[in-house]
Amino acid sequence: MKTYYVESLIEKIGQNIKVLIEQKVITDKKKIVLYGLDTFSFGMRTILSNLGFKVDSYISEDSEQVVRYKRHVKAVSSRYLNSLRDLIGICDLEERLADFDENLLILSGSKSCPKKRLAELKYQEQVNYFQVYDWEKDEFSEFVRGKKKISLKEMQNIEKEMLFQVDQFCIENGIRYWVCGGTLLGTIRHKGFIPWDDDIDLFLPWKDYKRFLEEFKPTGRYDLIIPDKADKKDYFELWTKMIDKHTVVREHVDFMRKVHPVSIDIFPLIGMPKGAEERKHFFEEFSELDKKIWEDFYANNGRLGVYDKWYPSQKKFLEMYDFDESSYVGVLGTAYRENDCTTKKVYDSTLRMSFEDIEVNVPTGFQEYLDNLYGKGWRELPDENKRTSHHNMESYWL
């Protein structure tokens, strides 16, 4: 099994829907009902629409969620639509299925579909009701069966060793870098990892980033996943990862499963427009590009290969403004969006600070950067119930 790839559950669902069409299970004569009010059912509706089929309604056991979505649809329709004719109904399960209808076909991509309740309402699996994604079939779980899980402390030690290698190489070769994100916050607040954190993030100015990718030659257990060289079906991020090939991780992100070794993220730090309005427009344009990619993704039934087509357009944004000539700098493609932009003076000079038992580069303007990302109260610890990783993942030794 490959140790880095991305699995699009939307694409898997699309493939299974096509099979049901070929088997004449899905036909124009059936009233198609989708179980769930989630990414999987919404993705299914798009796929069915792409293939020329109309959805009758969504159903859910979650009554509060049904009421909430109905209210939202009503608000949108009253503002923007002249007719409700083409709207898809949103119904409580009991409300829609109380009277058995043999022409009704229920499709579900959800793990939690209530098979028992559907059977009580006379809807039989593989007759009136079909699960379009097999949650029991799990190649990754089979692959790691019997392998030892990586603890949080082990994960941090693996990542710290990779950080040390990057740090030493950059210092020896005059390449600028700084720790960023939660790694920077941990360095300032904890003199190391945030105790519950499980990743490391680095910034390299665009020119230094390119030099690093050209000159750094990982050996032994380490390697780089580089956007310019990666097949976008396997990796579609805009930044590089340094990986430990002795490990494997599966990360659950919405409707995707990302499989890769334990890694650290190496981000290109780029120049940005000087004026506030220009910067706003710059981020809006990048956001519009992102929307086009998602539209293409869904138009192609969740196929990850569409990223290959769009990567050159994304890369143009990275090369648009020179880091050293810019008054404002930042990164693109992260969850922080505009908050990941600061004045360049943040990086005018560098401090060496302790990170666990090594030292790392910290930008002297870290206060501005951390205020932007986390708000001015970042020195205070969050409530105990919030001291958890923001990643949903499982990690194993190979």
Side-chain angles (χ1 to χ4, degrees), residues 66-84 87-88 90:
V66 168
V67 170
R68 195 161 57 246
Y69 271 87
K70 279 184 173 180
R71 190 181 299 130
H72 173 68
V73 168
K74 187 175 181 180
V76 170
S77 62
S78 65
R79 286 183 213 164
Y80 305 115
L81 302 179
N82 293 323
S83 169
L84 305 184
L87 283 179
I88 298 171
I90 298 173

Side-chain angles (χ1 to χ4, degrees), residues 50-226:
N50 291 344
L51 296 171
F53 293 91
K54 188 178 185 305
V55 169
D56 174 90
S57 54
Y58 295 105
I59 57 172
S60 173
E61 277 197 304
D62 187 335
S63 300
E64 289 185 13
Q65 193 182 34
V66 168
V67 170
R68 195 161 57 246
Y69 271 87
K70 279 184 173 180
R71 190 181 299 130
H72 173 68
V73 168
K74 187 175 181 180
V76 170
S77 62
S78 65
R79 286 183 213 164
Y80 305 115
L81 302 179
N82 293 323
S83 169
L84 305 184
R85 184 185 58 205
D86 294 325
L87 283 179
I88 298 171
I90 298 173
C91 309
D92 184 274
L93 185 142
E94 304 287 342
E95 172 191 358
R96 184 67 184 86
L97 304 183
D99 297 322
F100 178 77
D101 184 347
E102 63 180 12
N103 288 318
L104 195 144
L105 176 67
I106 303 166
L107 304 177
S108 171
S110 174
K111 265 185 180 179
S112 60
C113 193
K115 295 183 181 182
K116 185 177 178 182
R117 186 63 191 126
L118 289 174
E120 290 170 354
L121 292 166
K122 301 180 183 178
Y123 291 92
Q124 300 175 47
E125 191 168 9
Q126 302 300 113
V127 178
N128 319 100
Y129 150 60
F130 288 81
Q131 186 77 35
V132 293
Y133 182 78
D134 185 358
W135 292 93
E136 303 300 320
K137 186 179 178 182
D138 189 343
E139 183 185 359
F140 181 84
S141 294
E142 288 299 317
F143 178 67
V144 299
R145 190 182 300 279
K147 292 179 169 54
K148 184 187 172 191
K149 275 200 166 185
I150 297 173
S151 69
L152 175 59
K153 189 62 182 174
E154 287 175 322
M155 173 90 74
Q156 291 174 341
N157 284 334
I158 296 166
E159 293 170 345
K160 185 187 67 175
E161 176 57 32
M162 287 191 279
L163 170 59
F164 178 71
Q165 290 215 8
V166 173
D167 171 79
Q168 294 301 293
F169 179 84
C170 289
I171 288 174
E172 289 167 10
N173 292 276
I175 292 175
R176 294 172 293 177
Y177 94 88
W178 302 277
V179 293
C180 62
T183 311
L184 177 54
L185 176 58
T187 304
I188 305 299
R189 196 170 69 187
H190 302 275
K191 300 190 186 312
F193 282 99
I194 297 171
W196 53 90
D197 200 10
D198 53 18
D199 68 349
I200 281 178
D201 301 315
L202 307 177
F203 278 166
L204 277 71
W206 181 246
K207 289 177 183 175
D208 299 74
Y209 174 83
K210 290 198 293 184
R211 260 195 70 203
F212 176 82
L213 298 187
E214 289 168 4
E215 298 175 17
F216 182 72
K217 306 299 179 190
T219 57
R221 65 193 288 177
Y222 303 114
D223 204 352
L224 297 177
I225 306 177
I226 301 172

Side-chain angles (χ1 to χ4, degrees), residues 239-278:
W239 55 89
T240 293
K241 284 184 185 287
M242 183 176 178
I243 59 172
D244 180 334
K245 294 183 288 186
H246 289 187
T247 63
V248 67
V249 175
R250 179 165 66 178
E251 187 176 358
H252 302 264
V253 185
D254 295 326
F255 55 85
M256 292 187 187
R257 290 170 169 172
K258 298 181 179 181
V259 173
H260 53 77
V262 173
S263 61
I264 63 175
D265 289 326
I266 302 171
F267 293 91
L269 187 60
I270 63 171
M272 297 202 168
K274 183 175 182 179
E277 282 302 312
E278 290 175 285

